[in-house]
Amino acid sequence: MAGTNPRAARIAALIQRVIASSMEAQLHDKRLANITITEVRVTNDLQLAKVYWTQLGHEGHEDGERKRAQQALNQAKGRLRSLVGTKAGLRLTPQLQFVFDEVPGEAHEIEDILAVARKRDEELAKARATAQYAGEADPYKHPEETAEDPESDGWDDDDDWDDDDEA
């Protein structure tokens, strides 16, 4: 959607400013009360502008408020497009497409998951502080403990390995 075209990036920033200021000053719709324009992405050919928005809603009424806000944005789409065209001075004003931005809600979910993970980590740290080994603390043998005789080369000389006895 948003490419590397610097002109498209400038126009996207302009569209975001115009829509945000117009919603407060010129559109007197109560359904648009708590709406924030989070991002605008314009195609490189400047034909389409996706306007991402989010809304602070009342607890338990988010879905209904979101639907009413989406209706209000779709009804004001033509007016907002003409305002963008006059302020931007473009020969061709991009079509506006309003998309609800899910990122803030997902960010809260991720924060909740991280809080639960931190709590589990704290519980594990408390359990580790009082934990004891089931056996020895270090069950591995170390070379300094097994050294019996410094002159010993590690071979057992008691075994007779005479090949002559077998024949």
Side-chain angles (χ1 to χ4, degrees):
M1 194 75 184
T4 57
N5 187 352
R7 184 169 186 231
R10 281 194 317 270
I11 291 173
L14 176 68
I15 290 171
Q16 183 173 359
R17 284 193 308 270
V18 168
I19 290 176
S21 65
S22 298
M23 284 175 45
E24 292 177 6
Q26 296 177 357
L27 299 177
H28 303 289
D29 195 339
K30 293 180 182 178
R31 298 175 292 181
L32 302 176
N34 295 323
I35 289 183
T36 303
I37 305 299
T38 56
E39 185 179 6
V40 176
R41 294 183 185 170
V42 179
T43 57
N44 284 334
D45 61 357
L46 306 177
Q47 296 289 318
L48 179 66
K50 282 192 175 184
V51 180
Y52 293 90
W53 61 277
T54 188
Q55 182 178 29
L56 293 174
H58 298 92
E59 192 70 32
H61 301 285
E62 293 94 358
D63 290 336
E65 290 178 356
R66 182 186 314 162
K67 288 177 184 176
R68 287 189 290 278
Q70 184 71 47
Q71 288 174 341
L73 287 171
N74 288 334
Q75 289 174 355
K77 191 183 293 188
R79 171 93 189 246
L80 289 171
R81 185 175 179 201
S82 65
L83 289 170
V84 167
T86 57
K87 299 232 179 171
L90 298 172
R91 183 173 55 105
L92 177 67
T93 305
Q95 291 182 357
L96 301 178
Q97 181 181 7
F98 292 97
V99 179
F100 183 74
D101 195 358
E102 298 285 343
V103 172
E106 291 174 358
H108 289 296
E109 291 176 14
I110 291 172
E111 287 175 3
D112 293 341
I113 292 169
L114 289 174
V116 169
R118 282 189 205 103
K119 184 177 177 182
R120 287 183 187 163
D121 287 346
E122 290 173 2
E123 291 171 359
L124 285 174
K126 288 178 184 176
R128 275 192 215 114
T130 60
Q132 295 180 356
Y133 292 104
E136 295 180 28
D138 188 9
Y140 301 104
K141 293 183 179 180
H142 297 283
E144 61 271 3
E145 295 173 359
T146 59
E148 301 162 0
D149 185 12
E151 294 178 9
S152 172
D153 58 356
W155 291 96
D156 190 10
D157 293 333
D158 293 339
D159 294 335
D160 287 332
W161 288 90
D162 292 332
D163 292 336
D164 298 335
D165 292 340
E166 293 177 14

